[in-house]
Amino acid sequence: MEEKQFVKEIADIEENFAQWYTDVVLKTGLVDYGPVKGTMVIRPYGYAIWENIQKDLDRRFKATGVQNAYFPMFIPESFLKKEAEHVEGFAPEVAVVTYAGGEKLAEPLIVRPTSETIIGYMYSKWLSSYRELPILINQWANVVRWEKTTRPFLRTSEFLWQEGHTVHATAEEAMEETLLMLKVYKDFAEETLAIPVITGRKTEKEKFAGGLATYGMEAMMLDGKSLQAGTSHYFGQNFTKAFDIKFLDKDGALKYGYSTSWGVSTRLIGAIIMAHGDNRGLVLPPEVAPVQAIIIPIAAHKGGVTEKAKEIESALCAAGLRAETDVRDMSPGRKFNEWELKGVPVRIEVGPRDIEAGQVTVMRRDTLEKFTVPFTELTARICALLKEIQKEMLALSRARRDKKIVHADTLEGILGGVEGKNFVKAGWCGDRACEDRVKEYAAATARVMCDEEGIPERCAVCGKPAKHNVIFARAY
Amino acid sequence: MEEKQFVKEIADIEENFAQWYTDVVLKTGLVDYGPVKGTMVIRPYGYAIWENIQKDLDRRFKATGVQNAYFPMFIPESFLKKEAEHVEGFAPEVAVVTYAGGEKLAEPLIVRPTSETIIGYMYSKWLSSYRELPILINQWANVVRWEKTTRPFLRTSEFLWQEGHTVHATAEEAMEETLLMLKVYKDFAEETLAIPVITGRKTEKEKFAGGLATYGMEAMMLDGKSLQAGTSHYFGQNFTKAFDIKFLDKDGALKYGYSTSWGVSTRLIGAIIMAHGDNRGLVLPPEVAPVQAIIIPIAAHKGGVTEKAKEIESALCAAGLRAETDVRDMSPGRKFNEWELKGVPVRIEVGPRDIEAGQVTVMRRDTLEKFTVPFTELTARICALLKEIQKEMLALSRARRDKKIVHADTLEGILGGVEGKNFVKAGWCGDRACEDRVKEYAAATARVMCDEEGIPERCAVCGKPAKHNVIFARAY
């Protein structure tokens, strides 16, 4: 009965996915709305997920030789204008500081929407010789993009992200870095978030303002829409020329470097929610779950129950797991609901009868399966179970997604596909007009190109010979 | 000879401490000036120190039950005005966003100088029952205070910090938290940064704008000046009343909570530099050193040398140390200078003769002692050595500081004391006028009160009976 009451608290995931999302993010205490329109507060439960994301990604970046640094948030307005496409892309979204220290500023300052310009300025100061290349620097920071329509995690005026900025001696090395970081992101999304992603190059329309090529990774949400979960940009010499980033090469010639940038943001938390949730709420992959195992004492007032629960908690924590005991004075049923809503991967119930039988009852959040485990095997079994859940969540997501990738060779086919909540693969002639037509007719955008899978004969829009194999989808 | 050339690169620490500081922070690649006046770029070597600080402090905070979260950086201007002293203290220093998304904002937004107001607003939304108390939240963030005179790490327009914000049911619990966090900071400063600190309450003049009591920790720099290295504030109900932070207590009554806040910043990096450096540059405590042991191959072209160096590096890294081998194509002498400048605690030299003798040459950066260690004992000895250096750096700093704490019972005595680069303990009647007089006459400020050590009979300024035992010093 309690479960039923509980289910009413969040909208039905099939009936109203958008409301389900809003209910889940607010009621689990992941996030709240800030006082300024379009801003969010990342509450402790949400921030703990971000900390796990940061820790894992940071390790992956550093393994490729990247170091962290921190650049100022305020960018002189003139910097933004040095790269023509860049200013066009970002100027409409920026927040501008015009007063500081009680005085009007001589030059307004832009709050960084991204840091290519200010980092480019510093690289130009620092770089002199080929010996200092490559420059491989990342920063974890807040950025601001003033958006009209916002949703927690998915699109907010201020968000947290990381932005890597690298400079290389040759175009080849810069392109290698671009693709290496795309691979790092893909491995991270799949191994750590249990979200299968499709990576590929973006069309000219969808690429980063000021770049030569953008590569993105796209994840399918439970409603069939795509979420751009990360991007890696190849800039060629666009920014190195705009910011005069030069080096003396081995051959004695002064040359411009080639640069890249790549980033993921707190948007990933939105992706986790919408890739794995269900009608009971969140389902968190063990790798990023703030609590991996919640221990719930049953009839906690009976002698030895809470002690046993705490003993299990200690054993699990000692094995490196994030385990907690819920000792609050409320019914186990309410606790079950709350921790299911919060998506904790494993629940461990321990009561007087369990203690007598030398076992506990375990529930997996992803499959809702329940089974008993003897005390003597508990720690080893929970460790193994978390690994298994992590693997199976990815496999399930992948199977679910793969069934929803369809092919189309007409505009109607694309519309039908996306209305059926699919990703639609279709041939494209490469003309912007045909890409715009898909947007207009099917409210879908070109997510990435996957030409390496083979190119269809004709453009699904105009019928001319196709140059690319594009995934079209509706997107967040 | 090379060492002499090298020493010229940075100003003499005795002759010109300020220039020595600037030379060291710039030439070690800790920091650079940003394009906007008063801003700094924290370069990878500096940021790695900050990462080590964060990791250690974050662990200490969490051990007391604190969780991290993230609040928006933009604060509606009206929020600042809700606490009268608070707006007076911070309004002159704020940066203001007046345009965003291409439009003039109806209400200007303040870029946070500190987050009591916006966090207070959220806590008011969240808090309803005594069951939810205490609220123990910390955030790692950037803040902006527009200062006229700036120096890298010590005072910059934008800096990185952590700010903890807690709410409690009673005044006693809030005061306990204030003092607990002060203790956490003191332990951290001494154990991790090897900097002895004096903690105590600040005078009314020096306290946080809007608080009831501020406790600070003060560290003596090598020039005898004091650096405020962290503060912990007790607010009573000032902010909970201004922001309507109420809860239903056990007794059924609706009550205002009691709040605290506490913070340390990237200023701590400045403290490390100025507490431990010498004429060769930085001397980093092992706990926060980005590289704890640098391995330098001698005659690296000879067979087996680089291999042996790499083997040592692997063994040290496997033991959990941060070790690196410098394989660059330059003379060992230049490498010695560079790593001494960078303050790496231990240098390990390995050359053909060492290999033959089955040993390496080790140098301690703090004492400059050199000795040989057999290969077979190396890892264990380096681990032990780093612990020893950490401990001895604190002991040395403490002994040096303790010799420079003097007593004075006249205004002239205070002047003489601070001109002799000391901390001066003196009686104070508690009147602002006397405190101002010390500032005017001796260019020194009241750092903290240490009344628990006993209160002198008379105020050193006016001769009336003293109420406090104050440490006066010149300060950063």
Side-chain angles (χ1 to χ4, degrees):
Chain A
M1 216 202 86
E2 275 198 81
E3 297 230 349
K4 270 210 189 128
Q5 278 180 349
F6 166 75
V7 169
K8 279 188 206 148
E9 284 181 28
I10 58 173
D12 189 276
I13 194 169
E14 304 284 346
E15 283 170 19
N16 191 342
F17 191 69
Q19 188 60 47
W20 172 88
Y21 178 81
T22 304
D23 288 347
V24 165
V25 294
L26 294 176
K27 291 190 177 166
T28 49
L30 286 176
V31 77
D32 200 356
Y33 299 112
V36 176
K37 202 177 161 295
T39 62
M40 66 173 165
V41 175
I42 307 179
R43 300 184 69 174
Y45 196 62
Y47 199 81
I49 297 176
W50 183 239
E51 287 180 303
N52 290 333
I53 288 173
Q54 283 189 299
K55 206 170 151 189
D56 189 297
L57 263 179
D58 202 68
R59 180 182 54 76
R60 292 177 192 262
F61 296 157
K62 285 178 177 157
T64 74
V66 171
Q67 294 181 299
N68 289 329
Y70 186 78
F71 296 84
M73 153 173 78
F74 293 149
I75 302 176
E77 202 178 36
S78 57
F79 278 29
L80 213 62
K81 297 178 180 157
K82 289 195 185 181
E83 212 293 332
E85 262 189 43
H86 192 67
V87 65
E88 204 184 307
F90 286 100
E93 291 182 359
V94 295
V96 189
V97 174
T98 54
Y99 283 83
E103 286 171 16
K104 190 162 197 246
L105 295 169
E107 180 179 3
L109 299 174
I110 301 302
V111 183
R112 65 178 159 227
T114 180
S115 303
E116 278 73 14
T117 59
I118 193 163
I119 294 181
Y121 171 87
M122 297 309 299
Y123 284 179
S124 158
K125 264 180 86 173
W126 296 339
L127 182 62
S128 59
S129 153
Y130 72 93
R131 284 194 195 85
E132 296 143 15
L133 292 176
I135 301 177
L136 305 173
I137 290 181
N138 174 62
Q139 96 172 343
W140 293 95
N142 55 343
V143 281
V144 169
R145 296 180 187 177
W146 216 258
E147 305 265 8
K148 297 264 177 258
T149 314
T150 57
R151 291 182 76 186
F153 295 124
L154 303 177
R155 201 173 292 278
T156 50
S157 304
E158 181 188 358
F159 56 92
L160 302 183
W161 81 343
Q162 60 68 218
E163 46 180 326
H165 295 269
T166 71
V167 183
H168 307 262
T170 66
E172 293 65 38
E173 284 170 48
M175 182 53 91
E176 254 173 50
E177 176 75 14
T178 308
L179 298 176
L180 172 66
M181 299 321 291
L182 187 70
K183 175 74 164 59
V184 166
Y185 286 154
K186 184 182 167 79
D187 290 347
F188 167 75
E190 301 189 340
E191 293 164 10
T192 305
L193 309 183
I195 300 175
V197 292
I198 297 174
T199 54
R201 186 169 170 176
K202 295 257 170 191
T203 63
E204 282 298 297
K205 181 182 177 180
E206 302 287 335
K207 81 167 164 48
F208 181 87
L212 283 189
T214 287
Y215 294 81
M217 68 173 179
E218 300 285 321
M220 186 187 282
M221 302 294 100
L222 288 164
D223 62 352
K225 282 168 79 174
S226 187
L227 184 139
Q228 176 176 298
T231 46
S232 188
H233 314 292
Y234 170 70
F235 293 143
Q237 296 184 317
N238 280 10
F239 282 94
T240 56
K241 285 189 173 163
F243 284 88
D244 204 34
I245 304 171
K246 289 194 292 248
F247 66 98
L248 200 63
D249 206 353
K250 280 178 209 172
D251 61 10
L254 204 58
K255 298 177 185 173
Y256 289 106
Y258 294 79
S259 69
T260 83
S261 82
W262 28 274
V264 300
S265 74
T266 35
R267 213 170 197 230
L268 288 174
I269 301 176
I272 296 168
I273 300 162
M274 294 197 294
H276 298 301
D278 65 18
N279 257 328
R280 297 191 187 193
L282 291 176
V283 180
L284 295 178
E287 288 285 338
V288 294
V291 180
Q292 296 174 311
I294 185 72
I295 303 150
I296 303 199
I298 310 293
H301 57 281
K302 295 262 173 82
V305 172
T306 302
E307 291 71 13
K308 190 69 196 174
K310 283 282 177 189
E311 186 189 315
I312 293 168
E313 179 189 328
S314 299
L316 295 178
C317 288
L321 303 186
R322 297 184 287 272
E324 274 182 26
T325 306
D326 187 346
V327 295
R328 287 175 302 170
D329 183 22
M330 59 167 73
S331 75
R334 261 186 79 189
K335 290 181 185 175
F336 291 177
N337 290 341
E338 194 176 309
W339 292 108
E340 284 174 15
L341 178 65
K342 289 190 144 196
V344 172
V346 168
R347 178 172 87 212
I348 299 171
E349 304 162 28
V350 56
R353 263 176 297 180
D354 295 303
I355 293 176
E356 224 171 284
Q359 63 182 33
V360 296
T361 304
V362 171
M363 195 195 79
R364 277 175 71 149
R365 176 64 183 90
D366 61 331
T367 59
L368 304 174
E369 283 170 279
K370 273 178 96 157
F371 48 89
T372 58
V373 177
F375 288 149
T376 49
E377 298 171 20
L378 190 59
T379 302
R381 283 284 293 279
I382 299 295
C383 288
L385 182 60
L386 288 169
K387 286 209 179 73
E388 196 179 316
I389 292 172
Q390 183 76 30
K391 232 173 96 181
E392 290 183 15
M393 282 180 69
L394 174 62
L396 176 69
S397 290
R398 194 188 298 279
R400 198 156 47 192
R401 180 199 67 183
D402 288 352
K403 272 192 287 188
K404 291 168 71 63
I405 301 178
V406 299
H407 293 261
D409 45 23
T410 62
L411 196 52
E412 290 69 30
I414 295 174
L415 176 63
V418 298
E419 289 201 326
K421 301 180 175 181
N422 300 294
F423 279 10
V424 183
K425 283 188 181 165
W428 175 49
C429 61
D431 282 357
R432 173 72 180 257
C434 288
E435 191 180 357
D436 288 343
R437 185 88 184 95
V438 173
K439 175 79 192 256
E440 188 186 276
Y441 190 82
T445 48
R447 305 314 307 159
V448 289
M449 298 186 279
C450 42
D451 298 350
E452 64 290 349
E453 294 177 16
I455 295 166
E457 212 169 309
R458 314 220 149 262
C459 173
V461 182
C462 69
K464 284 186 203 147
K467 287 184 187 149
H468 300 288
N469 187 358
V470 172
I471 293 187
F472 288 102
R474 289 175 178 168
Y476 280 96
Chain B
M1 215 199 87
E2 273 198 83
E3 297 228 349
K4 271 211 189 127
Q5 280 183 346
F6 166 75
V7 169
K8 281 190 206 149
E9 284 182 26
I10 58 173
D12 188 275
I13 194 167
E14 305 284 345
E15 283 171 21
N16 191 342
F17 191 69
Q19 188 60 46
W20 172 86
Y21 179 81
T22 303
D23 287 347
V24 165
V25 295
L26 295 176
K27 291 191 176 163
T28 50
L30 287 175
V31 77
D32 201 357
Y33 298 113
V36 176
K37 201 177 161 294
T39 62
M40 67 174 164
V41 175
I42 308 178
R43 300 184 70 172
Y45 197 61
Y47 199 82
I49 297 176
W50 183 239
E51 288 181 304
N52 290 335
I53 289 174
Q54 283 190 300
K55 206 170 150 189
D56 189 295
L57 264 179
D58 201 69
R59 181 181 55 74
R60 292 177 193 261
F61 296 158
K62 284 178 177 158
T64 74
V66 170
Q67 294 182 299
N68 289 330
Y70 187 78
F71 295 84
M73 153 173 77
F74 292 149
I75 302 177
E77 202 179 35
S78 57
F79 278 30
L80 213 62
K81 297 178 180 157
K82 290 197 182 181
E83 214 293 331
E85 263 189 42
H86 191 67
V87 65
E88 204 184 309
F90 287 102
E93 291 182 359
V94 296
V96 189
V97 174
T98 54
Y99 283 82
E103 286 172 17
K104 189 163 197 243
L105 295 169
E107 181 178 3
L109 299 173
I110 302 300
V111 183
R112 63 178 162 227
T114 180
S115 303
E116 279 73 14
T117 60
I118 194 164
I119 293 181
Y121 171 87
M122 296 310 299
Y123 283 180
S124 159
K125 266 181 86 174
W126 295 340
L127 183 63
S128 59
S129 154
Y130 71 92
R131 283 194 195 85
E132 296 144 13
L133 291 176
I135 301 177
L136 305 172
I137 290 180
N138 173 63
Q139 96 172 344
W140 292 96
N142 54 343
V143 280
V144 170
R145 296 179 188 177
W146 217 258
E147 307 263 9
K148 298 263 177 261
T149 314
T150 57
R151 290 182 78 187
F153 296 124
L154 303 177
R155 202 173 292 278
T156 51
S157 305
E158 180 188 0
F159 55 92
L160 302 182
W161 79 344
Q162 61 69 217
E163 47 180 325
H165 296 269
T166 72
V167 183
H168 307 263
T170 67
E172 293 66 38
E173 284 171 49
M175 184 51 91
E176 255 173 49
E177 176 75 14
T178 308
L179 297 176
L180 172 65
M181 298 321 291
L182 187 69
K183 175 75 165 55
V184 166
Y185 287 153
K186 184 182 167 75
D187 290 348
F188 166 76
E190 301 189 340
E191 294 164 8
T192 305
L193 309 183
I195 300 176
V197 292
I198 298 175
T199 55
R201 188 170 167 176
K202 295 258 169 189
T203 62
E204 282 301 295
K205 182 182 176 181
E206 299 288 335
K207 80 167 166 46
F208 181 86
L212 284 189
T214 287
Y215 295 81
M217 66 172 181
E218 301 286 321
M220 186 187 282
M221 302 295 98
L222 289 165
D223 62 351
K225 284 169 77 175
S226 187
L227 184 139
Q228 175 176 297
T231 47
S232 188
H233 314 292
Y234 170 69
F235 294 142
Q237 296 184 319
N238 280 11
F239 282 94
T240 57
K241 285 188 172 163
F243 284 89
D244 204 34
I245 304 172
K246 288 195 294 252
F247 66 99
L248 200 62
D249 206 353
K250 281 178 205 171
D251 61 10
L254 203 58
K255 298 177 185 173
Y256 289 105
Y258 294 78
S259 69
T260 84
S261 83
W262 26 274
V264 300
S265 73
T266 35
R267 212 167 199 233
L268 288 174
I269 301 175
I272 296 168
I273 299 162
M274 294 197 295
H276 299 301
D278 65 17
N279 256 330
R280 296 193 188 191
L282 292 176
V283 180
L284 295 177
E287 287 286 338
V288 294
V291 179
Q292 296 173 310
I294 186 71
I295 303 149
I296 303 199
I298 311 291
H301 57 280
K302 294 262 174 82
V305 172
T306 302
E307 291 70 13
K308 190 69 194 175
K310 283 282 178 189
E311 186 189 315
I312 293 168
E313 178 189 330
S314 299
L316 295 177
C317 290
L321 303 186
R322 297 184 288 272
E324 272 180 28
T325 306
D326 186 346
V327 295
R328 289 174 302 169
D329 183 20
M330 57 167 77
S331 78
R334 261 186 79 188
K335 291 182 186 177
F336 291 176
N337 290 341
E338 193 176 311
W339 292 108
E340 283 174 16
L341 178 65
K342 289 191 143 195
V344 172
V346 168
R347 178 174 85 212
I348 299 170
E349 304 162 28
V350 56
R353 263 175 297 178
D354 296 303
I355 293 177
E356 225 171 281
Q359 64 183 34
V360 297
T361 303
V362 171
M363 195 195 78
R364 276 176 73 151
R365 176 64 183 86
D366 60 333
T367 59
L368 303 174
E369 285 170 277
K370 272 178 96 158
F371 46 90
T372 58
V373 178
F375 288 149
T376 50
E377 298 169 20
L378 190 59
T379 303
R381 284 282 296 278
I382 298 295
C383 288
L385 182 60
L386 289 169
K387 287 207 178 73
E388 198 180 315
I389 292 172
Q390 182 76 30
K391 234 173 93 181
E392 291 183 14
M393 282 179 69
L394 174 63
L396 176 69
S397 291
R398 195 188 296 280
R400 195 156 47 192
R401 180 200 65 183
D402 288 351
K403 271 191 286 187
K404 292 167 70 64
I405 301 179
V406 299
H407 293 261
D409 44 24
T410 61
L411 196 50
E412 289 68 31
I414 296 175
L415 175 63
V418 299
E419 288 200 327
K421 301 183 177 181
N422 300 293
F423 279 10
V424 183
K425 283 188 182 167
W428 175 50
C429 62
D431 283 356
R432 172 72 180 258
C434 289
E435 190 179 358
D436 287 344
R437 186 84 184 97
V438 174
K439 175 80 192 256
E440 192 185 271
Y441 190 83
T445 50
R447 304 315 307 156
V448 289
M449 298 185 280
C450 42
D451 297 349
E452 65 289 350
E453 294 178 16
I455 296 167
E457 214 169 309
R458 314 221 148 261
C459 173
V461 183
C462 67
K464 285 188 202 146
K467 288 183 184 150
H468 300 285
N469 187 357
V470 171
I471 294 187
F472 289 101
R474 290 179 178 165
Y476 281 95

